[in-house]
Amino acid sequence: MAKQLEITLKKSLIGRNKKQRATIEALGLKKIRQTVTHNDTPQIRGMIHHTDFMLDVKEV
């Protein structure tokens, strides 16, 4: 079974640029403290790296 990542939005999107907002939306996050689970893939890791200061990430 592939590793899973639990991703939580911890900061607001207000004042962020369009690229960062689009990345957060692509991860499926809309509200602060919302959590989603994704498979651990290079694509998801790249999205996390791009917006890591706004996210909390745990391996499940």
Side-chain angles (χ1 to χ4, degrees), residues 1-2 14-15 22 26 30 37 39-40 42 44 50 54 56 58-59:
M1 186 169 146
I14 296 172
K30 295 181 186 216
T37 304
N39 289 331
D40 189 4
I44 296 296
H50 182 70
M54 292 190 280
D56 251 347
K58 289 192 285 185
E59 287 189 12

Side-chain angles (χ1 to χ4, degrees), residues 5-56:
L5 296 174
E6 195 171 85
I7 306 164
T8 304
L9 183 62
K10 65 179 183 178
K11 290 196 172 208
S12 173
L13 297 178
I14 296 172
R16 306 296 175 204
N17 66 35
K18 290 181 182 180
K19 193 171 182 181
Q20 290 170 333
R21 286 179 188 226
T23 302
I24 294 297
E25 187 176 328
L27 285 169
L29 297 165
K30 295 181 186 216
K31 296 182 177 184
I32 297 174
R33 291 188 297 274
Q34 181 181 2
T35 301
V36 295
T37 304
H38 286 287
N39 289 331
D40 189 4
T41 63
Q43 294 83 5
I44 296 296
R45 286 285 182 173
M47 291 176 164
I48 291 168
H49 180 72
H50 182 70
T51 56
D52 63 346
F53 61 95
M54 292 190 280
L55 302 174
D56 251 347

